[in-house]
Amino acid sequence: MNVAKSGYHVFCANSTPACTELAKKITEVEIKESVRGQTIFIIQTIPRDVNTAIMELLIMAYALKTSCAKNIIGVIPYFPYSKQCKMRKRGSIVCKLLASMLAKAGLTHIITMDLHQKEIQGFFTFPVDNLRASPFLLQYIQEEEHLCLSSLSCRCLFRAQSYAERLRLGLAVMHGEAQCSESDMADGRHSPPCVRNTFGHPGLELPLMMAKEKPPITVVGDVGGRIAIIVDDIIDDVEDFVATAEILKERGAYKIYVMATHGLLSADAPRLIEESAIDEVVVTNTVPHEVQKLQCPKIKTVDVSMILAEAIRRIHNGESMAYLFRNITVDD
């Protein structure tokens, strides 16, 4: 790596061996020298101990800031807590707080990949480059024949549709939810039922609210005799994926893949995948999952270090990032 007059360094936060391995693939060399006046890139993957990884990043960024580094850029392939940031107040507060902490610590730019909610970029007071893993994932599966893309929910429908259009494949939509879904408690469907209003204006009664119903999973589209690929951005708890795979199998799909950018695969996910009808789970190396791969041979990894390395090079040289988003749609 050539360091110009106003050079740049790439540091690894060293939280896990996987982080070190990804950093080596991106940089290929290790540089140890003064950071004064330099542009610094900190690579931090997020393991299971999320808070420790965040503190490592904050401490390193502040140390570089007080060492007179010119720019401090965080390379965070999987941005933590992004799944919680929907329209709920609590999740938004967590992401806002984290964005503020990163700015206070000294970060001036972030490179990440496939944010769960793209609106998270608005929480930051500095630039955020949200790269896409879709070209690498599509390249992995495009050699297969008789494919059919499927979305686990309406939230993932646009992503699946974008993939299907580029691969010229059919699209099947999963409607409904699996029983015991992780979203049951989060969306308030098990909250205490509303009671009639006995206060306020005399004679005014509000209608009783009906409890939310979750219909069983059904398939909209033809998957018979095809390889069904379930598309999502994050694979964490896999109960919904397992239930969806069972339905697809019943509808005639002879192979079932699950494809996502971030493979968190927490708790009993490897065991559930191994015992399920899922034939293969394809994720990238944005999150360490070596232990899960040992537990479940069905888990496959796609390397995305190339695009992260190119992003670092372009930012340092002041080049446009548009090249990295060519043939990328808004829905990816």
Side-chain angles (χ1 to χ4, degrees):
M1 181 181 295
N2 296 324
V3 181
K5 184 177 180 181
S6 179
Y8 71 101
H9 293 177
V10 178
F11 282 76
C12 174
N14 205 28
S15 61
T16 62
C19 178
T20 306
E21 182 64 25
L22 180 61
K24 287 180 179 179
K25 286 185 177 181
I26 293 175
T27 61
E28 297 183 0
V29 296
E30 183 180 9
I31 303 176
K32 293 183 178 179
E33 56 185 77
S34 172
V35 300
R36 182 179 294 273
Q38 302 292 314
T39 295
I40 306 300
F41 294 85
I42 307 176
I43 300 170
Q44 177 63 305
T45 57
I46 304 298
R48 292 192 177 208
D49 192 352
V50 177
N51 294 330
T52 299
I54 292 174
M55 286 306 301
E56 283 182 349
L57 179 61
L58 294 173
I59 292 170
M60 181 173 284
Y62 186 74
L64 293 168
K65 176 184 176 182
T66 55
S67 298
C68 301
K70 182 181 179 182
N71 294 304
I72 305 171
I73 301 173
V75 183
I76 313 173
Y78 167 66
F79 193 79
Y81 296 113
S82 59
K83 192 173 182 180
Q84 299 179 8
C85 183
K86 297 182 181 178
M87 296 303 292
R88 304 171 194 147
K89 183 177 181 181
R90 183 179 178 182
S92 298
I93 291 175
V94 172
C95 281
K96 288 178 182 178
L97 177 61
L98 181 54
S100 177
M101 292 169 63
L102 292 173
K104 292 290 184 181
L107 288 182
T108 58
H109 196 145
I110 278 183
I111 302 172
T112 187
M113 182 169 285
D114 282 342
L115 286 171
H116 186 66
Q117 300 289 334
K118 297 180 179 65
E119 294 79 6
I120 293 174
Q121 297 174 79
F123 294 153
F124 292 89
T125 57
F126 50 77
V128 176
D129 284 311
N130 183 26
L131 304 178
R132 304 293 195 276
S134 56
F136 299 91
L137 295 172
L138 293 175
Q139 183 179 11
Y140 181 89
I141 65 169
Q142 66 183 358
E143 296 179 359
E144 296 283 355
E145 295 181 356
H146 307 295
L147 298 174
C148 177
L149 274 293
S150 175
S151 66
L152 187 64
S153 65
C154 293
R155 179 182 57 80
C156 311
L157 175 59
F158 295 110
R159 181 188 298 266
Q161 183 176 2
S162 174
Y163 287 10
E165 289 175 352
R166 272 180 287 176
L167 294 174
R168 295 176 174 82
L169 299 175
L171 177 65
V173 179
M174 310 304 295
H175 176 67
E177 295 182 76
Q179 301 298 316
C180 302
S181 173
E182 65 174 342
S183 62
D184 286 0
M185 301 304 296
D187 65 6
R189 68 165 53 112
H190 291 315
S191 299
C194 297
V195 297
R196 293 186 180 276
N197 185 15
T198 56
F199 303 96
H201 192 277
L204 177 63
E205 291 187 356
L206 296 178
L208 287 174
M209 299 294 292
M210 298 297 293
K212 289 186 177 181
E213 296 284 345
K214 55 177 183 180
I217 295 178
T218 56
V219 182
V220 181
D222 181 22
V223 297
R226 301 186 181 186
I227 300 176
I229 303 176
I230 306 172
V231 176
D232 210 330
D233 61 334
I234 297 175
I235 301 178
D236 191 0
D237 297 324
V238 298
E239 286 84 356
D240 285 354
F241 293 98
V242 170
T244 301
E246 293 291 342
I247 300 297
L248 291 171
K249 205 73 169 180
E250 293 175 2
R251 293 292 297 268
Y254 74 93
K255 276 189 179 181
I256 299 167
Y257 292 173
V258 176
M259 188 172 64
T261 303
H262 311 295
L264 304 185
L265 302 169
S266 59
D268 294 331
R271 179 183 61 82
L272 294 174
I273 293 171
E274 185 67 22
E275 297 173 355
S276 72
I278 297 173
D279 293 282
E280 199 166 300
V281 174
V282 183
V283 294
T284 71
N285 55 344
T286 57
V287 178
H289 54 267
E290 282 70 23
V291 175
Q292 290 90 329
K293 288 182 69 175
L294 293 175
Q295 298 172 347
C296 178
K298 293 181 179 181
I299 301 173
K300 309 297 180 181
T301 305
V302 175
D303 181 25
V304 293
S305 60
M306 183 186 301
I307 192 172
L308 294 171
E310 181 63 15
I312 290 174
R313 189 193 69 79
R314 286 177 173 273
I315 290 174
H316 171 65
N317 293 330
E319 299 177 14
S320 172
M321 297 287 284
Y323 178 80
L324 302 182
F325 295 92
R326 70 191 190 285
N327 300 325
I328 299 294
T329 66
V330 177
D331 298 322
D332 279 9

